[in-house]
Amino acid sequence: MQLRALSIGEAVPPTNFDAVIQSTFDSAVNLRLRNEDRLITLLISRDHDLPQGIRVWTATLPLQSLTPGERAAIRGGVLRFASSPLTVDLRDAPVWKCRVSELALDMQTPAAQAAWSTAWNLLNREQEHKSTDLRADDLFRPHTGSPLSRRISKPVTGLVTSADGLDVQGALHAAGQMIGLGPGVTPSGDDLLLGFLAGLWSMAGQNERQLGFLRSFGTKLIQLAQATSEISRTYLCHAMQGQFSSSLSHLAEAIAIDEGVEETARASMRVGHSSGMDAVTGLLIGLCVWNPNAPAAVRGGWETTQSF
Amino acid sequence: MTTSQRMIKNLYRDSVSLMQFSEKLRALEGIQQASAVMATENNISLLVEAGLLSGAVPPSPNDLLIVVEGRDESATTTALDAAEAMLKTKSADTGEGGVRRVPPRSLEMSLESMPSANFVLISTPGEYAAAEARKALQLGLHVMMFSDNVSMEEEIPLKQYAREHDLLVMGPDCGTAIINGIPLGFANVVRRGDIGVVAASGTGLQQVTSLIDRFGAGITQAMGTGGHDLKSEVGGITMLQGIEALAKDKATKVILLVSKPPSPDVMKNVLDKAAKSKKPVVVEFIGADPQTITGGNIHGVKTLEDAARAAVLLSKGKTVKKFSNTLPARYKSLVKPAQKKLKKGQRYIRGLFSGGTFCYETVLLLSEALGKVYSNTPIKKDEKIPNVWKSLEHTVIDLGDDLFTQGRPHPMIDFRLRNERILQEAKDPETAVILLDVVLGYGSNMDPAGELIPAIQGAQKIAAKAKRNLVFVGSVCGTESDPQNLSRQEARLREVGVILTDSNAQAARLAAAIVGAR
């Protein structure tokens, strides 16, 4: 069976490579590149683009013939598997690039602040509706919510304060308490951190001090990411370089122009059981950094209302 | 109470599966608590804190840690054994009880797993599509044939069989439909409403449904017929069935038909059927004189935008007046500033289209305003472009033509060819306006603006180097609810100087006005 790639993330090597199947899911297959500590991911067409993703033009991946450990390789733009007739033709697929770092999102504008509030309220409603372990509002109410919310609340506040002060060591200390924490193959703490980084990258623009913080924090975070699963670590490694999924980057863009925020936020939150919501939580908290007008609660004031 | 744990090496399950798995464990006899998480240091510490782990275990972030709390050791051991067995037998494609669920390999198998299905979308290579469609019809299923390269000799008996059995065949080469609110193929996310559409044109259907959404109304059903349906040989079987279905449908208040002009015999049958529907019917036979169509409950219109506008007015119980052929005032004010940017020698429009119907509508409107327009889909034979790779005077190219799509995705998905052509046109000192369509919705590129912007900026640089300016005019076909989001795409294109109108027709008229008298 020959499938065609619909788009290719910019972190996918453009040349021939060898890999082994690391894991298979209903709608995704992870390949571990030989001699490298990173994964690339095959996704079905309705999924979001990923920096490390190859979106394949199909509604379902024919997984019955793929098993973890099996060899895979790209030669001449075609992905083949050692013991499966499945091939994926990458030759005509456009490269997808995450443009979050070009956004220079200005959270001082009333439009962006209104968009933020819309997304935050929607997020809390969805988290309540889905009974997720992590709820955005609970993070800023001490001794409230699930054990996970209570546990992650302090490092999240620490992360905000440290990022605000461009304090790399403080931010690393907070991140260390979040990495690998929570349910899912990409634990909630990782998803939240990922979203938080997306928030910061979408605002930094050309600000050298903020970019310097992000680069320095990112470089050191790679070490901490060894404490989480390989799949989650892949996402974090791209996040450190300002590369995120299209679901997160679209939400940042929607907030930047205050257009289609609800629809985009809903789409971003639909990823996994709670991964999408955890990442959106992180993104919205990240957008409160470097902004004296941000909701006091998010910036450590322990208030209960979160709106600009 | 006793707690026990087990580590499963290198096991990955998505979060939904893990959550369901934990719930199943909690439901086991004698078990109070269960958790399945990646064995990271932080998760282990959380489990210790929650009293679910009696002591720390060495972290192993790529392994799954299952922890259960139960009545006694016997219950927790039984639960962990059951958990391990479940995980080892339950792969992503297995059903309940560990029985491997074989993916359906035929329509019969699919129907067994979903007996209530009454509709099938066929997207196999053309040579196999007719056989699959026949099987589907024999199983009592309506058919949408996305596949192209199906001959009329195969299409006609399929449609005749379908009609005899009260089934519908949309296509072949039916790229767009919205059935019961579900977009199929290349389609936009539009609101539900009371307007039903039957169209022999994919992008024509996308334009009218998107504009209906933009004008505040919605769609009941939008059916595609495929491009051959209104030819004499096929006799408009699907369009006639579509009209009949919409006429019977209580939710449909207004019917809208879109096609290039059918052959005369088919046109008569279609209009007769429309007249009998007793519902207001808007007819856009692109290129036909609306006056020859209008009468009784039938309202002929000239452009896709007029079609959407008329349908919305009728659905709101208003009367349809004759629409103006001229550029609306809000666009007129954009003409002079654009003209001022151009040098004397910049005289021509270069239209680069991904939608076939957008291209055709543009050729019609530009010809009306400017005279000769070369194209690969010309109105007059002598205006066929001699070399599709090189523009000549006013040129409008359908990049979705088979010639351009051999071995590559459609230009609504893959922008490389169009981007190369934009740069090529920028080098021509006679190019004044580059006219574009942008199509959003399912199936299309997820970020068309992002694809086009580097080429637009590149073209502007090329022109600037030669001390010229280029004017970019276009329209975005889509809705706010489309995955790409209409406003966001429009905003990004406007940021780089593209002048956007609400519809393809207005974009063509604006481009014509810019290169016209100056």
Side-chain angles (χ1 to χ4, degrees), chain A residues 4 22-23 25-26 57 92 99 151 176-177 179-182 184-185 227-231 257 259 264 273, chain B residues 12-15 19 38 40 42-43 45 49 61-62 92 100 103 407-409 413-414 416 447 450 485 487-488:
Chain A
R4 205 150 39 82
Q22 187 256 9
S23 52
F25 296 90
D26 273 353
W57 198 307
D92 291 323
R99 293 192 165 84
R151 170 95 177 202
Q177 295 171 279
I179 284 180
L181 180 63
V185 73
T228 191
S229 71
E230 192 177 8
I231 294 172
I257 56 169
E259 289 285 352
T264 320
H273 170 63
Chain B
Y12 295 101
R13 290 281 180 270
D14 64 74
S15 49
M19 194 195 63
M38 302 312 285
T40 63
N42 276 327
N43 275 341
S45 156
E49 201 176 282
N62 288 318
R100 192 174 180 87
R408 65 165 72 226
I413 302 158
D414 183 349
R416 279 177 297 177
D447 183 16
N485 186 266
S487 302
R488 203 164 59 235

Side-chain angles (χ1 to χ4, degrees), chain A residues 15-241:
Chain A
T15 51
N16 293 345
F17 63 75
D18 293 293
V20 290
I21 297 177
Q22 187 256 9
S23 52
T24 60
F25 296 90
D26 273 353
S27 61
V29 175
N30 285 304
L31 306 175
R32 184 187 297 120
L33 298 184
R34 200 166 77 176
N35 302 328
E36 288 188 57
D37 181 25
R38 64 181 177 128
L39 304 175
I40 63 169
T41 306
L42 289 186
L43 303 149
I44 58 170
S45 42
R46 72 160 187 271
D47 275 343
H48 299 281
D49 277 304
L50 298 176
Q52 75 278 22
I54 297 173
R55 270 173 70 226
V56 180
W57 198 307
T58 179
T60 53
L61 282 168
L63 293 171
Q64 65 276 20
S65 58
L66 300 178
T67 46
E70 187 184 339
R71 282 184 297 118
I74 286 191
R75 294 287 181 271
V78 178
L79 173 62
R80 292 185 170 83
F81 297 88
S83 56
S84 163
L86 174 69
T87 61
V88 181
D89 188 342
L90 278 67
R91 285 171 295 186
D92 291 323
V95 172
W96 176 81
K97 290 179 185 167
C98 172
R99 293 192 165 84
V100 155
S101 60
E102 298 165 21
L103 256 186
L105 199 166
D106 181 3
M107 284 304 294
Q108 310 278 357
T109 66
Q113 292 174 3
W116 185 96
S117 300
T118 303
W120 183 269
N121 291 331
L122 182 67
L123 170 69
N124 278 285
R125 281 203 305 273
E126 286 292 306
Q127 286 176 327
E128 194 180 343
H129 178 63
K130 288 256 176 87
S131 303
T132 53
D133 277 347
L134 200 69
R135 308 229 183 139
D137 268 338
D138 288 346
L139 294 175
F140 304 100
R141 292 180 189 133
H143 318 300
T144 309
S146 69
L148 178 66
S149 281
R150 293 201 298 272
R151 170 95 177 202
I152 213 167
S153 163
K154 201 174 162 193
V156 167
T157 315
L159 194 61
V160 173
T161 313
S162 304
D164 235 353
L166 304 176
D167 168 10
V168 174
Q169 284 310 320
L172 285 169
H173 177 72
Q177 295 171 279
M178 294 167 66
I179 284 180
L181 180 63
V185 73
T186 58
S188 296
D190 296 3
D191 290 324
L192 202 149
L193 189 56
L194 185 91
F196 184 80
L197 286 166
L200 298 191
W201 274 103
S202 62
M203 292 188 300
Q206 300 296 316
N207 185 314
E208 276 309 320
R209 290 183 67 227
Q210 292 169 358
L211 285 173
F213 167 79
L214 280 168
R215 289 189 193 113
S216 178
F217 179 51
T219 308
K220 289 169 183 152
L221 198 59
I222 290 175
Q223 291 302 316
L224 294 181
Q226 297 300 322
T228 191
S229 71
E230 192 177 8
I231 294 172
S232 196
R233 185 160 67 243
T234 300
Y235 284 92
L236 284 171
C237 287
H238 292 297
M240 291 161 200
Q241 297 161 48

Side-chain angles (χ1 to χ4, degrees), chain B residues 37-331:
Chain B
V37 292
M38 302 312 285
T40 63
E41 196 175 343
N42 276 327
N43 275 341
I44 289 165
S45 156
L46 185 67
L47 290 169
V48 171
E49 201 176 282
L52 276 171
L53 263 184
S54 50
V57 295
S60 181
N62 288 318
D63 301 335
L64 188 71
L65 177 61
I66 307 167
V67 183
V68 289
E69 184 185 60
R71 188 183 52 220
D72 51 32
E73 200 174 332
S74 157
T76 57
T77 306
T78 307
L80 287 172
D81 288 345
E84 196 166 349
M86 262 190 254
L87 286 167
K88 285 190 174 157
T89 53
K90 185 177 165 62
S91 70
D93 57 348
T94 58
E96 292 298 318
V99 179
R100 192 174 180 87
R101 195 195 313 142
V102 180
R105 286 191 298 271
S106 66
L107 286 170
E108 290 87 345
M109 283 174 76
S110 303
L111 208 53
E112 269 175 31
S113 61
M114 199 193 285
S116 60
N118 68 350
F119 184 97
V120 61
L121 193 157
I122 295 172
S123 181
T124 63
E127 57 190 302
Y128 310 113
E132 290 305 313
R134 177 161 289 282
K135 281 183 219 163
L137 291 169
Q138 284 166 348
L139 290 167
L141 302 168
H142 299 287
V143 172
M144 172 172 172
M145 292 175 81
F146 190 84
S147 311
D148 58 1
N149 294 318
V150 177
S151 69
M152 272 205 280
E153 288 71 30
E154 289 173 305
E155 178 178 343
I156 293 165
L158 283 175
K159 288 194 166 176
Q160 287 170 340
Y161 180 93
R163 184 176 54 192
E164 284 160 19
H165 293 81
D166 206 15
L167 295 167
L168 194 69
V169 173
M170 298 196 289
D173 200 12
C174 174
T176 307
I178 303 169
I179 302 298
N180 294 335
I182 308 292
L184 298 166
F186 289 89
N188 302 91
V189 185
V190 299
R191 57 169 76 91
R192 305 292 300 270
D194 57 12
I195 300 168
V197 183
V198 193
S201 137
T203 41
L205 188 147
Q206 286 192 265
Q207 173 84 114
V208 293
T209 52
S210 295
L211 287 174
I212 285 168
D213 182 276
R214 193 187 285 227
F215 299 149
I219 299 299
T220 51
Q221 312 289 347
M223 291 173 260
T225 66
H228 295 149
D229 190 66
L230 284 97
K231 287 186 187 293
S232 237
E233 296 88 328
V234 186
I237 292 175
T238 305
M239 185 162 275
L240 292 169
Q241 283 183 287
I243 297 168
E244 203 167 300
L246 293 174
K248 283 181 193 162
D249 176 31
K250 284 182 184 155
T252 300
K253 204 165 144 190
V254 179
I255 299 171
L256 168 52
L257 309 177
V258 178
S259 168
K260 284 184 185 175
S263 56
D265 52 333
V266 178
M267 190 190 294
K268 184 180 177 309
N269 288 341
V270 167
L271 294 176
D272 283 351
K273 179 71 86 179
K276 281 180 195 155
S277 75
K278 304 266 184 342
K279 292 182 179 179
V281 183
V282 178
V283 179
E284 160 64 331
F285 287 154
I286 308 160
D289 178 359
Q291 294 310 311
T292 61
I293 295 163
T294 303
N297 60 335
I298 298 176
H299 306 265
V301 290
K302 188 181 167 89
T303 65
L304 294 164
E305 181 189 336
D306 292 347
R309 216 174 271 286
V312 173
L313 284 172
L314 290 164
S315 90
K316 291 182 177 167
K318 296 180 181 166
T319 52
V320 176
K321 291 176 192 164
K322 199 181 165 202
F323 293 105
S324 166
N325 275 339
T326 58
L327 193 64
R330 68 182 188 282
Y331 298 129

